[in-house]
Amino acid sequence: MTERSSSGVLLAGVAAAQRAVLRVSYQVHRRAHRAREVDGHVVGMAEVAGLLKSVGASLPGAVTVNLARHPFYDHQYDIQLDVAGRWSVGRKLRRLVAGPWVLGRLAARHQTFIYIGGQGFLVSALDGRERELSFLRSIGRTVVCYFAGSEIRSQALLNAFGEAHDMDVITTYQSQVAPGTASDAAERHRRALASAADRNADLIFNAPVDQMSYLERPTEPCLYFYPDELIGRRPDKWADLSGPPLIVHAPSSPIIKGTPLVHAAIKALRADGHEFEYVELTQRPNAEVIALLERAHIVLNEFYSFVPGVFGVEAMAANTVLLTSADPAIEPSLPEGAEAAWVVTPYWRIYDRLKGVLDDRQGMQSQADRGTAWVQQNCSRSASSERLVDLIDALPTSA
């Protein structure tokens, strides 16, 4: 027997064992819960730029489930499985046993399951969550898949798009930073995730170009759920523009965010006599980044993506001028008014667009205000929650 076939047999055995634990857990907890109504939301399974916590906070009474602690967010969740990281014996047991047991307990009590990212309660290396999604559907539960990035984005499809349009895209360099993301196994898993969602999800959120995928069903535009209390104009930061403006860049992954091109633009602008303060944060806690945005005038976000991303929304919420490659002419799922909310900046135009902003000091605040208003209307927790609830309530299975 080859190593690959042995691995397949092992995974099949694990899958069978997890299905058995899931069935037992569901029956035990269904009997215990028989007298009460099945309702409410479960939100999981991995934190992606604060999205899991934000979605959970947007739905009253929702149960949040997280697989692993995030290095940049210090959020608390209702259920923290802590199964990611080094594969110690304890983590293996928690992943193999606690995952299906918790899913069975939650399925006996809750109606709607919202999956953020690509992970699940069960080990899904073979089927892209097919077993658990089909189980939830079989007992009448509502399934929502919210895809957030590389877990669903096909490197093959997006690379082909980039070549057809003669432009670099996020996957152009992603394989150099994380070679495993370009493997055949990773692409098969993305196919499996898409297939399982197509067959079982009642509702799918995805950015169809930025996160180009094997999904065949129509999808809803991604929502951001950004806290309303953090969105607003900051007139104090614009009261005196006589000094050098503060430019901030905070890449989570410098190569795929375009950081070398940012460095080149900053160097050229300084050489041409422009005065400004430039601060770059890498691998820093989110709270530190948010605090810096309160002083920032200009934010340079990412330059190979077609949506603004969470950091872009954070920047506009804090009333800064955002430069990013997000482009409603390429990504059709962006809400109306996106073309005016930020300065659309392809990676080959960073110098030009940043120079234009620096040369127009009087126009900075107006641009920042447009971005803040757009975020309030389209990305706030209140607006996103209302949209999500409306969509779920409109599903036939939620009646």
Side-chain angles (χ1 to χ4, degrees):
M1 184 180 291
T2 66
E3 181 178 347
R4 184 171 179 178
S5 61
S6 297
S7 176
V9 170
L10 177 60
L11 285 173
V14 168
Q18 288 200 306
R19 284 197 300 271
V21 173
L22 173 58
R23 287 193 296 268
V24 170
S25 175
Y26 175 66
Q27 293 299 332
V28 167
H29 292 101
R30 186 179 68 164
R31 292 190 185 98
H33 194 70
R34 182 176 298 170
R36 288 175 284 175
E37 184 181 358
V38 174
D39 61 5
H41 306 83
V42 175
V43 185
M45 294 289 296
E47 186 57 88
V48 180
L51 189 59
L52 193 162
K53 185 67 175 180
S54 293
V55 175
S58 300
L59 301 169
V63 176
T64 54
V65 186
N66 190 33
L67 287 177
R69 300 187 186 279
H70 196 284
F72 306 137
Y73 294 87
D74 189 25
H75 297 318
Q76 300 299 311
Y77 306 90
D78 297 302
I79 300 174
Q80 179 75 56
L81 291 178
D82 279 338
V83 296
R86 293 188 62 183
W87 278 101
S88 65
V89 173
R91 280 202 168 99
K92 286 181 180 179
L93 291 175
R94 289 181 68 83
R95 187 71 170 104
L96 300 180
V97 178
W101 186 262
V102 169
L103 176 58
R105 174 166 61 87
L106 294 173
R109 303 175 181 180
H110 300 277
Q111 174 60 37
T112 303
F113 285 73
I114 302 171
Y115 285 84
I116 295 171
Q119 300 195 61
F121 291 85
L122 311 184
V123 175
S124 58
L126 290 177
D127 70 351
R129 298 190 299 216
E130 171 66 30
R131 295 189 306 279
E132 64 187 274
L133 299 191
S134 61
F135 165 76
L136 291 171
R137 292 284 289 154
S138 73
I139 60 173
R141 302 301 181 257
T142 302
V143 174
V144 178
C145 290
Y146 188 113
F147 292 109
S150 297
E151 82 282 358
I152 195 68
R153 182 186 294 116
S154 164
Q155 295 221 354
L157 295 178
L158 194 57
N159 281 338
F161 176 87
E163 292 173 6
H165 292 80
D166 191 27
M167 63 191 304
D168 291 348
V169 293
I170 191 169
T171 51
T172 303
Y173 301 102
Q174 194 170 28
S175 61
Q176 299 176 24
V177 176
T181 62
S183 69
D184 290 341
E187 198 74 356
R188 285 195 301 271
H189 188 240
R190 295 181 192 112
R191 283 184 182 273
L193 278 174
S195 178
D198 279 336
R199 283 194 297 269
N200 299 291
D202 298 278
L203 189 61
I204 304 171
F205 290 88
N206 191 49
V209 177
D210 186 76
Q211 296 173 185
M212 194 169 288
S213 71
Y214 297 103
L215 290 164
E216 297 181 356
R217 282 175 42 193
T219 62
E220 289 292 329
C222 293
L223 304 172
Y224 286 91
F225 300 90
Y226 199 68
D228 292 69
E229 63 272 17
L230 299 183
I231 305 171
R233 297 177 66 247
R234 311 293 203 271
D236 289 349
K237 85 162 60 174
W238 301 107
D240 183 6
L241 289 177
S242 60
L246 172 59
I247 301 173
V248 172
H249 181 51
S252 57
S253 179
I255 299 300
I256 64 175
K257 301 299 184 180
T259 300
L261 300 178
V262 169
H263 290 173
I266 292 296
K267 177 68 174 178
L269 286 164
R270 281 179 168 156
D272 289 346
H274 289 273
E275 294 185 0
F276 50 82
E277 180 185 359
Y278 175 72
V279 177
E280 183 174 307
L281 295 179
T282 304
Q283 304 294 310
R284 303 301 302 166
N286 182 252
E288 184 176 337
V289 175
I290 294 297
L292 184 61
L293 290 179
E294 292 300 315
R295 295 194 299 113
H297 299 93
I298 301 169
V299 163
L300 306 177
N301 189 18
E302 50 189 315
F303 295 99
Y304 298 115
S305 179
F306 303 130
V307 297
V310 172
F311 180 52
V313 169
E314 291 173 338
M316 290 185 286
N319 206 212
T320 72
V321 176
L322 175 65
L323 278 68
T324 187
S325 56
D327 190 346
I330 298 175
E331 177 51 71
S333 68
L334 288 170
E336 184 178 353
E339 69 282 352
W342 58 84
V343 181
V344 177
T345 307
Y347 64 86
W348 62 89
R349 295 290 188 199
I350 298 175
Y351 173 92
D352 298 337
R353 301 290 159 83
L354 181 54
K355 181 179 185 300
V357 172
L358 292 171
D359 287 343
D360 183 17
R361 292 287 186 96
Q362 297 306 310
M364 280 189 193
Q365 184 175 4
S366 296
Q367 177 61 59
D369 287 348
R370 288 194 294 272
T372 301
W374 185 86
V375 167
Q376 181 66 66
Q377 182 175 356
N378 298 287
C379 306
S380 65
R381 180 174 291 170
S382 57
S384 298
S385 178
E386 181 179 359
R387 178 60 178 159
L388 177 61
V389 171
D390 285 348
L391 289 168
I392 292 175
D393 286 348
L395 296 171
T397 53
S398 66

